[in-house]
Amino acid sequence: MTEFWLISAPGEKTCQQTWDKLMVATTRTNNLSTNNKFNIPDLKVGTLDVLVGLSDELAKLDTFVESVVKKVAQYMADVLEDSRDKVQENLLANGVDLVTYVTRFQWDMAKYPIKQSLKNISEIISKQVTQIDNDLKARASAYNNLKGNLQNLERKNAGSLMTRSLADIVKKEDFHHCMQCVLLFEDNESGLFSVTLFRKAVDDFKHKARENKFTVRDFQYNEEEMKADKEEMTRLSTDKKKQFGPLVRWLKVNFSEAFIAWIHIKALRVFVESVLRYGLPVNFQAMLLQPNKKNMKKLREVLYDLYKHLDSSAAIIDASMDIPGLNLSQQEYYPYVYYKIDCNLLDFKV
């Protein structure tokens, strides 16, 4: 399972007690989930108005950054083409696999200084990821054009004799046969013949050939054009190889940056939502649960029983209701703060 539930609950007498209660309820007897403490530093709280507004902004930023993370991951898979099994080993965060990074999350003080306001930190992340998104578009466009041009040339020189270029099949000496029909080349499907005719017989010959289910292809032997095509293919192939290495390195680095930014947004959201729900002074325990796939429904029930006292309305709140700061329209609502983190970022199973 690459799905995690990032939740928080208010500290009992201590936050350790909140953690111990969760562990007893979910792991000691029933193996519902594998749990880790999720460490969030002492961030600047700011005013309630700012927190409410920031809650909505962070929800949008979360969606945007997740989409960029997925785009970079998917483009990595596209670029690696035949090596898709190697994709996962290139999708790392800070040099470790995604599950390890999430379960051992530590706030990056250098990138996102906690002396800054929450709004400033979210703006730093937004600018950083927007830049990655813009760079990805530019790099992908350049590489895709190159790849497309090369594929078009390759297509011209491959495939059926009915459609492929004849430049690498027909040679100069093939035009020196007098008044005869010669087999120049054949594949599993068809054969290519050279026919020498008087000009006045060409139209009649084409008509008769079509009647007998032959395809007549006009061909002008042009040595310079053929040479130019070969040179163009060599140039494009060389350029593609040259760009491949640096592009994969860029994708690897920027996937890591975007993924790290995404998990920091989750941390910000848990902090903001926990303060809005549980009040001040800041006193909550953030916890990361990796559900056992077979027991997800049971885990939800256990968590509800554990935390239902926090909000008696949680069981009946309709997700379509719009309550400022709670982003109910975005996801399900529970009596505890909850966000999903799904580390399976690709459309295919690698």
Side-chain angles (χ1 to χ4, degrees):
M1 275 288 285
T2 54
E3 182 179 311
F4 293 91
W5 296 357
L6 179 55
I7 72 168
S8 85
E12 308 274 336
K13 284 178 183 169
T14 66
C15 288
Q16 184 61 37
Q17 280 182 312
T18 305
W19 169 254
D20 291 341
K21 270 192 173 180
L22 175 83
M23 290 300 284
V24 169
T26 61
T27 65
R28 298 275 157 87
T29 55
N30 46 17
N31 189 29
L32 296 179
S33 58
T34 306
N35 307 331
N36 291 273
K37 284 184 180 176
F38 191 84
N39 297 309
I40 301 175
D42 296 328
L43 300 165
K44 282 190 167 184
V45 176
T47 65
L48 188 63
D49 281 357
V50 168
L51 287 180
V52 170
L54 196 57
S55 176
D56 291 334
E57 285 170 28
L58 285 171
K60 290 172 192 159
L61 188 56
D62 188 345
T63 304
F64 167 65
V65 177
E66 181 181 3
S67 76
V68 173
V69 169
K70 285 182 172 175
K71 269 194 267 184
V72 177
Q74 196 59 53
Y75 196 61
M76 172 85 81
D78 294 347
V79 168
L80 288 172
E81 292 174 22
D82 298 332
S83 321
R84 284 194 165 196
D85 52 332
K86 291 184 184 168
V87 174
Q88 213 67 12
E89 66 194 52
N90 281 296
L91 298 181
L92 304 175
N94 255 2
V96 297
D97 66 85
L98 306 185
V99 169
T100 302
Y101 177 80
V102 173
T103 52
R104 296 181 192 168
F105 175 75
Q106 292 293 324
W107 186 275
D108 191 326
M109 301 287 184
K111 274 195 188 104
Y112 312 116
I114 59 171
K115 287 179 182 175
Q116 299 260 13
S117 70
L118 295 173
K119 189 161 180 59
N120 280 3
I121 294 171
S122 75
E123 282 171 0
I124 290 169
I125 294 174
S126 179
K127 279 178 191 165
Q128 177 199 11
V129 178
T130 300
Q131 186 62 54
I132 291 172
D133 191 37
N134 290 338
D135 286 355
L136 176 65
K137 283 173 189 161
R139 286 169 187 268
S141 174
Y143 190 74
N144 289 349
N145 280 342
L146 183 61
K147 195 168 140 186
N149 290 340
L150 182 59
Q151 281 172 341
N152 287 340
L153 270 180
E154 284 170 344
R155 221 173 279 126
K156 243 174 92 176
N157 293 307
S160 154
L161 282 171
M162 311 282 269
T163 53
R164 65 174 287 181
S165 165
L166 304 178
D168 59 338
I169 296 175
V170 181
K171 298 174 183 63
K172 201 170 186 178
E173 54 269 27
D174 292 331
F175 288 88
H176 294 195
H177 302 293
C178 246
M179 299 293 286
Q180 58 181 317
C181 170
V182 179
L183 176 66
L184 303 180
F185 181 86
E186 63 182 329
D187 59 20
N188 293 334
E189 294 174 5
S190 46
L192 178 71
F193 295 85
S194 159
V195 181
T196 310
L197 302 165
F198 287 116
R199 277 207 177 98
K200 63 182 180 184
V202 169
D203 288 341
D204 190 42
F205 173 79
K206 282 183 179 179
H207 180 69
K208 287 278 193 285
R210 275 195 291 273
E211 278 183 355
N212 288 282
K213 298 193 175 164
F214 283 91
T215 300
V216 179
R217 293 191 57 185
D218 288 323
F219 176 75
Q220 295 288 329
Y221 185 83
N222 184 326
E223 215 159 334
E224 282 180 17
E225 200 177 290
M226 285 154 60
K227 189 182 169 192
D229 267 6
K230 276 182 184 168
E231 284 172 358
E232 177 70 355
M233 191 181 271
T234 306
R235 184 186 69 77
L236 289 171
S237 188
T238 306
D239 281 359
K240 188 184 168 199
K241 280 174 193 159
K242 270 188 199 165
Q243 286 189 27
F244 177 81
L247 180 59
V248 170
R249 280 193 294 279
W250 184 91
L251 289 166
K252 195 172 177 177
V253 168
N254 286 277
F255 172 81
S256 176
E257 292 293 307
F259 186 84
I260 289 166
W262 186 41
I263 303 305
H264 278 75
I265 289 167
K266 297 290 187 189
L268 284 175
R269 294 190 75 187
V270 168
F271 183 85
V272 169
E273 215 68 23
S274 298
V275 173
L276 285 172
R277 290 225 202 159
Y278 311 140
L280 292 170
V282 175
N283 180 31
F284 67 88
Q285 179 64 55
M287 301 164 281
L288 187 76
L289 284 62
Q290 189 170 12
N292 182 329
K293 196 173 185 179
K294 293 175 186 170
N295 297 327
M296 288 171 89
K297 192 176 175 204
K298 177 68 178 163
L299 178 59
R300 277 283 178 226
E301 290 165 3
V302 166
L303 291 176
Y304 178 73
D305 286 341
L306 198 56
Y307 300 123
K308 63 186 173 188
H309 65 281
L310 297 175
D311 186 351
S312 57
S313 61
I316 52 167
I317 281 188
D318 179 356
S320 63
M321 287 167 64
D322 189 18
I323 299 175
L326 292 182
N327 296 303
L328 297 181
S329 57
Q330 301 298 313
Q331 60 181 60
E332 315 96 317
Y333 179 73
Y334 302 100
Y336 47 91
V337 171
Y338 158 79
Y339 296 107
K340 186 168 90 167
I341 299 172
D342 191 350
C343 292
N344 184 25
L345 300 163
L346 295 163
D347 292 340
F348 62 90
K349 296 276 183 272
V350 285

